[in-house]
Each structure stands twice: as structure tokens, then as C-alpha cells.
Amino acid sequence: MTDDANAPWLIVGLGNPGPEYAGNRHNVGFMVADLLADRIGGKFKRAGKAQAQVVEGRIGPPGPAGRRVVLAKPMSYMNLSGGPVTSLRDFYKVPTAHVVAIHDELDIDYGVLRLKIGGGDNGHNGLKSMTKSMGAEYHRLRFGIGRPPGRMQVADFVLKDFSSTERKELDYFVDRAADAVECLVTEGLERAQSAYNA
């Protein structure tokens, strides 16, 4: 697969399926994907044989200038995200460099965004699974959730809902993350980094 400028983008929100996980910090990728789907006027539907829900549409200026995108939410649980994402990448003929993973990031303060391509998984099971399935050369939008307070275990922290204080700003940060993804797809990584990386 060549990295063709006209190739579609596969934008993957990472999270866990099911209502009990919906408000968790670990599910912020799903929240951003849902907002992007609203913006392009689409509803998530089951994707054929892939264990994922998808929305197809365009981001950017109306008409053919808009970039073709497939928004996806793997329905396999976080630590098995790689299989569904790789199936979708192959099905839609998306170059790996046109895949974007949106995920929570412990090592960044709450609400801070960082865009990059490639790199390690930093202990994130969703990224670990994706990298194992298709290599590391995909884009990441890292959404800061901060470190757990006191002695709370990381697993407990990421599987808890955002606090009431955090929720006051959550919509704003999710909105900004969606803007960052749109900028990445339409204007490229450097432009998006200079506009959104803190």
C-alpha cells in the first residue's frame, strides 16, 4: 500500500465497549470519535466482519476537496484493538501512516494534547495491540488524563469516570481534540502540532 495523498484516513478512537465503561478516562478516544461522527453527520454502524463500529464521511472543505475518512471504534476491548484496526486498514486500503489512534495518556496533564507519529506504547494496552498488529508508524493523538492520585493503581484510575471537576472542562477538551484530528488530516502533522501540542 502506497502512502497516497488521496488515500482515506482511518481515525480510531480507543476505548472499551459497553455502557459501564462509557464515561471512563480510558474511553476518551470513543468520546472524541463520537464527536467527529456528529460533525460529519454520521452514525456508528457495525463494520462487516471487523469487530468494530464505523462511520464513513469527509473532513475538511465540502465537496471533493474534503478528505475521505473512516471513523472507527473497536468493539474488542482495549487490549485487543489491533486485530479490528488492522482488518479495517486492509479493507479500506488505508496506508499505516494514515491511521490515527486517539487515546488517553497518563504522562500528560489532564486535557493537554500531543500529536505524533510512531514511537513506543508507554504501557498503553490499546497501542501495544495496534503496534503488534501493524507496526508503530501510525499517528497518535494523546489526550492527557494525568497520573492517579495517591496510591491508586493505574488500572483503577483509567477505568474510573472523569471526576466532577474534570467533567466541567471535558466537553471543551474533547472538542479541541476533534479539532486537532481535523487539522492533522487536512493540514498535516507539523501544522497540527504547532497549533495543538502544548
Side-chain angles (χ1 to χ4, degrees), residues 1-117:
M1 282 181 284
T2 55
D3 192 353
D4 175 3
N6 297 318
W9 286 75
L10 174 59
I11 299 166
V12 182
L14 293 179
N16 287 309
E20 68 273 33
Y21 297 107
N24 289 180
R25 293 182 178 92
H26 223 19
N27 269 43
V28 75
F30 275 18
M31 296 173 197
V32 178
D34 285 338
L35 178 57
L36 285 165
D38 284 348
R39 288 183 179 187
I40 65 174
K43 291 235 181 304
F44 278 100
K45 295 183 180 71
R46 199 81 182 176
K49 293 180 183 170
Q51 212 179 348
Q53 291 183 352
V54 298
V55 174
E56 295 178 58
R58 288 186 180 273
I59 282 177
R67 299 284 186 162
R68 224 158 43 91
V69 297
V70 179
L71 304 174
K73 297 193 294 186
M75 293 286 117
S76 56
Y77 291 101
M78 182 72 87
N79 59 347
L80 300 171
S81 301
V85 175
T86 304
S87 295
L88 292 171
R89 180 200 65 172
D90 295 348
F91 179 77
Y92 288 103
K93 299 181 170 53
V94 176
T96 301
H98 276 205
V99 176
V100 184
I102 308 166
H103 65 92
D104 56 308
E105 177 61 67
L106 287 158
D107 287 336
I108 303 176
D109 288 342
Y110 174 59
V112 173
L113 302 176
R114 297 263 168 80
L115 286 145
K116 64 183 245 184
I117 187 167

Side-chain angles (χ1 to χ4, degrees), residues 157-175:
F157 180 68
V158 299
L159 292 175
K160 277 199 168 26
D161 286 2
F162 285 100
S163 70
S164 54
T165 308
E166 288 169 333
R167 279 199 299 272
K168 288 175 186 163
E169 294 182 292
L170 183 59
D171 286 349
Y172 168 76
F173 290 139
V174 168
D175 196 63

